[in-house]
Amino acid sequence: YAAQHNMPVLIDFSGHGCVNCRKMEGAVFDTPEVSALIQSDFVLVKLMVDDKRELAKPYPVIENGKKVMITTVGEEWSYLQRLKFKANSQPYYIVLDNDGNPLSSAAYYDEDVDKFVDWLKKGCENYKSAK
């Protein structure tokens, strides 16, 4: 979808039980400027790392030298965050190109709206310049 519409992807690693995630949504994402920017310029994908829904087919991974079974949707998203981005905290935001490559550094919990807007705009600029 993002490639078809020539838009970068904004990944939001979040959690149902993540207090700071809710704070970011209320203080930053729900502001008119951030909300409009995300809606017009990004494909937003929210991945809940504590989603307890069971996977249809659990699978093993090797992490830190140990075999671990990925059995839930949340475990899968958490593993993806650790594997691809070497991070394990939420909220965690990253802007990706249409091949899944990061377009900027990640953003974390910070209620500074102007800083988040600048970060989003930088991701868009990097997306357009990479085309």
Side-chain angles (χ1 to χ4, degrees):
Y1 181 89
Q4 290 174 348
H5 291 87
N6 198 31
M7 299 168 79
V9 175
L10 172 59
I11 301 285
D12 174 0
F13 286 96
S14 187
H16 298 289
C18 175
V19 173
N20 285 342
C21 299
R22 300 299 83 76
K23 287 181 178 180
M24 276 295 286
E25 290 165 2
V28 178
F29 277 66
D30 291 345
T31 63
E33 187 174 14
V34 171
S35 178
L37 190 57
I38 290 173
Q39 288 179 13
S40 66
D41 294 348
F42 293 90
V43 173
L44 175 63
V45 178
K46 184 178 288 242
L47 302 176
M48 304 302 270
V49 301
D50 58 356
D51 187 330
K52 302 295 185 206
R53 289 178 294 154
E54 292 186 11
L55 293 174
K57 187 174 181 184
Y59 59 93
V61 298
I62 303 297
E63 190 170 25
N64 300 320
K66 293 175 22 181
K67 182 178 175 181
V68 178
M69 288 299 290
I70 303 295
T71 62
T72 68
V73 171
E75 288 173 355
E76 187 168 47
W77 299 144
S78 182
Y79 177 68
L80 172 71
Q81 183 186 8
R82 292 188 310 274
L83 179 70
K84 185 164 176 76
F85 305 109
K86 309 297 185 233
N88 196 31
S89 65
Q90 295 79 43
Y92 180 88
Y93 310 102
I94 189 81
V95 177
L96 305 176
D97 67 15
N98 301 135
D99 294 318
N101 301 307
L103 290 167
S104 62
S105 60
Y108 302 87
Y109 175 78
D110 186 338
E111 292 185 24
D112 184 332
V113 173
D114 292 334
K115 184 176 175 182
F116 199 78
V117 166
D118 290 344
W119 177 80
L120 287 172
K121 287 180 178 178
K122 182 66 174 171
C124 279
E125 289 169 15
N126 291 346
Y127 179 81
K128 290 173 185 171
S129 67
K131 285 290 185 184

